Amino acid sequence: MGARPGRAQRSRLVLIAAIVIALAALPFVYSDAYLLKVLSFVGINVIIVAGLSLLFGYAGQVSLGHAAFYGIGAYTSGVLAVRFGWPWIACVAAAVVVSAIGGLILAVPTLRLKGHYLAMATLAFGQIAYVAFVEAKGITGGIDGLSGIPSPSLGPLELRSAESNYLLVWFFVGVALLLAGNIVALRPGRALRALHASEAGAQACGIDVVRTKVQVFVVSASLAGLAGSLFAHLVGFISPSSFTLVLSIELVAMVVLGGMGSLAGAALGAVVLTLIPNLDAVVPGMSPRAVELLQDWNADIFGVILIVVMLFMPGGLAAGAGRLAGWVRRRRPAPSEAEA
Amino acid sequence: MLRVCDLEAGYGHVRVLKGVSIEVAAGEAVTLIGANGAGKSTLLKVLAGLLPAWDGCVELEGKNITGMRAHKRVREGLVLVPEGRMLFASMSVEDNLRLGAYSRGGKEAASEFGQDRATVYELFPVLGRRATQTAATLSGGEQQMLAIGRALMARPRLLLLDEPSLGLAPKVVTEIFSALQELRRRGLTILLVEQDARVALRHADRGYVVRTGEVALAGTAAELMDNDDVRLIYLGAWHGRD
């Protein structure tokens, strides 16, 4: 017999439903192309961060090379579409598979590494991938990049408009969050958390540590590859400068800002940090000078936000939001007996 | 139940175990005593699959498990309570116990979880009172109880315990060993590594003295307690019998 959902669970379901409806309705009520484009990039980052949150936030496996998987997905999709004329959906599938293989290639030799050593190894992987994107000119177009990547299309239906791209990206955001959410809520999620808390303890509990690490690397890389593919087809042009170490660090910052071990928090971190340099998209009437300042000082603003969050909300935005919700609940008058 | 023959293992190029052979029968409590660095914990690590055997064999109920990986051994019923407890510090007592049952998976295990948890809380009532507390906030003794409780959630056939009394007050040690006695009465087979030889031998049926990676002496607990070498070196009885 299924248990009836509790009040907190019901509130959460209502919140999720409200967010989904608001996101889906947005292009129909406010179809500003710039806003929708920025929100599409927000969605792409949420997909990558959903995977990184599993790997880093839940399993505690640091990755400073996630831009590489994002790039592998983007180049796989772009090259197959431009040079071989593959249909969009096949390019997406190939991007996910090739990135997953990339995750497997990185996971196996780094199984024994932890903490800083793993961070260094993943950083090196990211740099190797970056150099490969630059040097494999015949395939990737080198530093000049790869242009002419077609928009997403399903048969005769070409998704060119900002509205359709936005809806497509956020559909995949939903898929990614659903997948990651299920992983976290079920048995594999317990294994990830155990791995993070104590690898030796996890082994003592009969958790297959090797398999768990490899699986989470592969899932995380696949999601980054999916995001890369979406990015390539949305922008139509990719170059190595989109897949640098700086991006990898920003992605880690999004997870930390949102909250380690919280999928919703990581998604929130991605939303906040992606919106900062594009704040004019959501704040109408911002002066061009203010936008320029935000973009010029982007990295510094990231740094200050991270320091403030670490000092005052060590659990990230998710923990901060949880504390705020608790405070609101405590201030709310208790229901009377008749109501109860 | 457990047969270990000519087991060799070590770290890097250093050979720590130099042909250890021991046996543990079903329902028995067997202890390994020895000085620091003798190889007792290394032996438990090899038995739990956390360290590969270089040579020799490990058999559990006649089945060769020498090359079997750690998580599969837990499923076979060979469960280790590691030295230093290795709890999930940021998780609650309840979540630690839930993870202890991880290897049993499936619907049947889910329905048995409540029953197994009740058994653990009956054995260590303090854990029941601290069910929602994080493991990090427990005292050392309570943490050791949780480490044993977590291992019991896997329904072990053979429980390996590595230094359960380490760093604990005598009163707490007594409490933990009386719980182990209770488990023995219920038929659980125990292999115990313990530096406090007096406590270990008092609670075991048989024992092995491990010295520089080899079994130097074997016998019943009473025989070992009566042995002059054991008394002199491990029980601290310098002047005749006490």
Side-chain angles (χ1 to χ4, degrees), chain A residues 187-212, chain B residues 50 69-71 74-75 79-80 82 86-91 96 98-106 150:
Chain A
R187 203 159 166 262
R190 289 209 295 276
L192 295 182
R193 279 187 282 261
L195 190 62
H196 192 175
S198 166
E199 200 171 317
Q203 279 183 314
C205 290
I207 292 168
D208 187 346
V209 169
V210 170
R211 191 168 150 185
T212 305
Chain B
L50 303 179
R69 290 177 52 206
H71 68 280
V74 176
R75 270 182 232 159
V79 184
L80 171 71
M86 304 299 170
L87 294 171
F88 306 116
S90 59
M91 295 187 200
N96 270 273
R98 203 173 286 282
L99 275 162
Y102 183 90
S103 62
R104 298 183 48 242
R150 187 181 67 179

Side-chain angles (χ1 to χ4, degrees), chain B residues 207-231:
Chain B
Y208 293 91
V209 177
V210 182
R211 203 176 290 158
T212 59
E214 286 168 308
V215 172
L217 206 58
T220 64
E223 283 167 0
L224 291 178
M225 280 185 116
D226 244 10
N227 181 286
D228 285 342
D229 277 353
V230 172
R231 289 170 60 78

